[in-house]
Amino acid sequence: MRDPFGRHIMYLRISVTDRCDLRCVYCMAEDMVFLPKAEVLSLEELERIASAFIALGVRKLRLTGGEPLVRRNVMSLFRALGRHIGHGLDELTLTTNGTQLARFAGELAAAGVRRVNVSLDTLSPEKFAAITRWGKIEKTLEGIFAAKAAGLAIKINTVVLKDINEDEIDSLIAFCGEHGFDLCLIETMPMGEISEDRTAQYVPLSLVRARLKQHWTLTETDYRTGGPARYYTIGETGRRLGFITPMTHNFCESCNRVRLTCTGMLYMCLGQDDSADLRAVLRSGATDAELQAAILEAIARKPKGHDFVIDRRHQRPAVARHMSVTGG
Ligand code: SAM
Ligand code: SF4
């Protein structure tokens, strides 16, 4: 699958639910209203769409959300998709807040998952509770160590928040170094109404990187996942450190991914509103060939890049939907 700009689309991220057991301040409003069940694709429908993408050449799938591990019976989807590994699919992964990992790490590994991204913005129990509004850090840490014990490689995702966890990046690097995890720092992106001031949360990662360079030996690597992260190796720990900087660096030229929401909307770009309604195609009784044709038609509309800007005057997000809808 190639888009109009010659980019080879081989990575699909699927948000399997818009629901979550946490309410991170940069992601959701506290009183989020979630979708009615009828609008959400069944696990069978999700599997059918994912299989169509694999048939069209997608080699990597990431399940995300909302929180993917709070969707009932989601392990049956992992098992079904895991059967494609080695038959067109190279990798099945997930992004999770870790709260349910202690329960599911073994089953995920058995389904063929080898790597997991876990979001952890702080090592302080108080700050964790404040950022997630009601989470307990012990559950996420327990999940992370269960995943490690199950043999999964772990990457920690940290959203850097002004005046909140900016000062903790050194400790997070040390923590990841000690336990053998990679770390990826993320700038806040203006997505969805959240009842907080986005500009107050935003820190340019160029600044963070400059500060880190005073304490750590960072060597730029050519390691790429085709995604937005730029990676460095940390001399002192030997681990990778990634920076996802949508606001300060345009990463679109190498973008190899598209995103499916739990309602079957296919978004060709995280930072644009154009989409294709694959649920309508599916529920109209489409054959596999018709479903694949609808996907190809959408890929032909993938835009060249995003235009994230924080609308400072009106305090409006650049993209109305929440990150939990398209899954980050
Ligand atoms: N619930 C899972 C989790 O937290 O990892 C998966 C879904 S979450 C939407 C995926 C990633 O997006 C997380 O790493 C989260 O920190 C990040 N994220 C959410 N809202 C964001 C925003 N407005 N800007 C930047 N990153 C955001
Ligand atoms: Fe939930 Fe993940 Fe959003 Fe936090 S970032 S509210 S854990 S979906």
Side-chain angles (χ1 to χ4, degrees):
M1 264 192 302
R2 276 191 189 277
D3 77 1
F5 304 96
R7 292 169 299 191
H8 202 167
I9 308 304
M10 44 205 306
Y11 182 5
L12 173 68
R13 296 170 80 106
I14 306 179
S15 174
V16 299
T17 175
D18 62 328
R19 288 165 199 254
C20 188
D21 52 349
L22 302 180
R23 291 289 181 280
C24 304
V25 290
Y26 46 78
C27 181
M28 292 194 181
E30 189 159 15
D31 55 350
M32 286 290 282
V33 179
F34 295 111
L35 292 162
K37 287 242 164 60
E39 291 198 22
V40 175
L41 296 180
S42 68
L43 294 172
E44 293 72 24
E45 287 172 320
L46 285 167
E47 187 199 340
R48 195 160 160 228
I49 296 182
S51 301
F53 273 96
I54 296 167
L56 288 169
V58 157
R59 306 192 71 95
K60 180 169 165 184
L61 286 179
R62 176 177 297 278
L63 302 196
T64 173
E67 173 47 43
L69 297 182
V70 302
R71 172 124 193 206
R72 188 176 305 165
N73 211 12
V74 75
M75 282 306 134
S76 67
L77 181 62
F78 275 101
R79 281 192 294 274
L81 297 176
R83 290 188 203 109
H84 290 276
I85 297 171
H87 307 278
L89 189 66
D90 293 338
E91 190 176 45
L92 173 64
T93 56
L94 73 153
T95 302
T96 173
N97 63 26
T99 60
Q100 314 294 315
L101 260 183
R103 182 169 156 214
F104 291 123
E107 282 181 71
L108 288 168
V113 173
R114 295 289 167 262
R115 297 194 303 134
V116 55
N117 288 5
V118 187
S119 301
L120 179 69
D121 299 330
T122 173
L123 293 169
S124 143
E126 294 77 29
K127 281 192 202 171
F128 187 91
I131 294 171
T132 61
R133 289 206 183 93
W134 56 53
K136 290 202 169 51
I137 197 169
E138 296 78 14
K139 271 183 93 178
T140 289
L141 291 176
E142 191 193 341
I144 289 171
F145 291 116
K148 182 180 175 182
L152 303 181
I154 292 165
K155 184 165 82 184
I156 302 293
N157 280 344
T158 301
V159 176
V160 183
L161 299 160
K162 194 171 167 63
D163 300 330
I164 298 180
N165 64 354
E166 271 181 284
D167 58 339
E168 271 201 80
I169 311 305
D170 289 312
S171 347
L172 282 161
I173 289 178
F175 169 81
C176 289
E178 182 186 341
H179 298 291
F181 309 150
D182 288 338
L183 176 63
C184 203
L185 304 178
I186 309 176
E187 269 174 6
T188 52
M189 298 176 221
M191 295 189 68
E193 294 289 347
I194 52 164
S195 75
E196 316 239 341
D197 179 1
R198 297 245 182 229
T199 51
Q201 296 178 342
Y202 177 68
V203 192
L205 288 188
S206 46
L207 204 77
V208 176
R209 184 164 48 224
R211 271 189 231 142
L212 291 177
K213 279 186 170 167
Q214 297 171 3
H215 307 282
W216 305 94
T217 315
L218 302 185
T219 312
E220 197 160 1
T221 68
D222 54 8
Y223 176 76
R224 291 271 187 287
T225 57
R230 294 287 172 267
Y231 284 94
Y232 292 73
T233 307
I234 307 167
E236 290 77 1
T237 66
R239 303 306 312 181
R240 276 193 202 109
L241 177 63
F243 292 86
I244 300 187
T245 57
M247 308 298 287
T248 51
H249 184 99
N250 205 306
F251 52 73
C252 305
E253 70 277 1
S254 62
C255 179
N256 65 356
R257 58 195 60 194
V258 289
R259 296 172 163 84
L260 183 75
T261 70
C262 61
T263 60
M265 301 300 283
L266 182 68
Y267 283 92
M268 284 67 85
C269 172
L270 183 62
Q272 300 267 6
D273 283 326
D274 192 25
S275 61
D277 186 351
L278 297 183
R279 184 184 64 192
V281 176
L282 209 62
R283 293 189 181 171
S284 72
T287 61
D288 286 346
E290 284 162 346
L291 178 59
Q292 289 182 22
I295 293 170
L296 290 173
E297 184 278 325
I299 300 295
R301 285 190 274 132
K302 185 166 162 68
K304 194 164 181 204
H306 70 69
D307 22 68
F308 277 131
V309 274
I310 299 183
D311 184 342
R312 285 170 202 272
R313 200 147 57 91
H314 302 100
Q315 295 291 321
R316 263 202 310 259
V319 174
R321 62 184 189 278
H322 288 89
M323 187 71 97
S324 51
V325 172
T326 15

